[in-house]
Amino acid sequence: MFEVSVVANFSAAHNLKGYQGKCEALHGHNWKVEVSLGSNRLDKIGMTEDFKIVKEKLEGILNLFDHKYLNVLSYFKKTNPTSENIAKLIYQKMKEKIDKKNLKVLFVRVWETENSCATYHE
């Protein structure tokens, strides 16, 4: 299997519902997001997918979150805006944007800090 990954960033605020500690209060992060796509075949020029296209799709999704208060977005009104749930939502949205049969989203990894990340994959 071939795999390509891109990384992009967004800044947003959130607070964790039901959490007892500092993260219960409103605070923000500069999240880093990695998306990895895989395929068993390369296209006619030898690529899994053009990095530029993958990054454009990812950045389109991240624009929904950038400089927002995540808790008020419709998805997070019922779901706690943890890094795990952010990764899952980005995965689902990225999967909707992949229109090639031989290409699939392998995982989405979301870093809340330089040393802490959450990953979602099916």
Side-chain angles (χ1 to χ4, degrees):
M1 171 162 305
F2 298 96
E3 182 178 330
V4 294
S5 298
V6 297
V7 174
N9 301 282
F10 74 96
S11 300
H14 72 156
N15 64 288
L16 300 182
K17 300 170 262 188
Y19 184 87
Q20 295 180 356
K22 290 181 180 182
C23 295
E24 184 178 21
L26 178 65
H27 64 285
H29 297 282
N30 294 315
W31 274 280
K32 179 172 92 170
V33 178
E34 177 184 1
V35 170
S36 182
L37 304 180
S39 178
N40 288 321
R41 297 190 314 258
L42 299 177
D43 67 14
K44 63 184 177 184
I45 64 168
M47 298 172 83
T48 303
E49 179 61 284
D50 189 333
F51 288 120
K52 179 182 174 186
I53 291 170
V54 180
K55 190 146 190 174
E56 285 172 356
K57 290 177 187 217
L58 176 58
E59 287 175 348
I61 294 166
L62 298 185
N63 283 336
L64 302 171
F65 307 130
D66 194 39
H67 286 81
K68 301 282 189 334
Y69 174 39
L70 299 181
N71 294 62
V72 301
L73 299 179
S74 62
Y75 182 81
F76 294 116
K77 286 184 179 181
K78 295 180 182 178
T79 304
N80 217 2
T82 62
S83 290
E84 292 87 345
N85 286 324
I86 293 167
K88 182 179 180 181
L89 179 58
I90 294 169
Y91 180 99
Q92 291 168 340
K93 290 192 171 291
M94 196 70 186
K95 192 173 174 182
E96 291 171 6
K97 292 184 173 279
I98 301 301
D99 58 359
K100 295 182 179 179
K101 292 179 185 176
N102 65 322
L103 190 64
K104 66 179 185 175
V105 181
L106 299 177
F107 67 83
V108 172
R109 184 166 291 139
V110 175
W111 279 267
E112 196 172 274
T113 69
E114 184 179 313
N115 301 313
S116 303
C117 69
T119 303
Y120 182 82
H121 58 86
E122 290 181 342

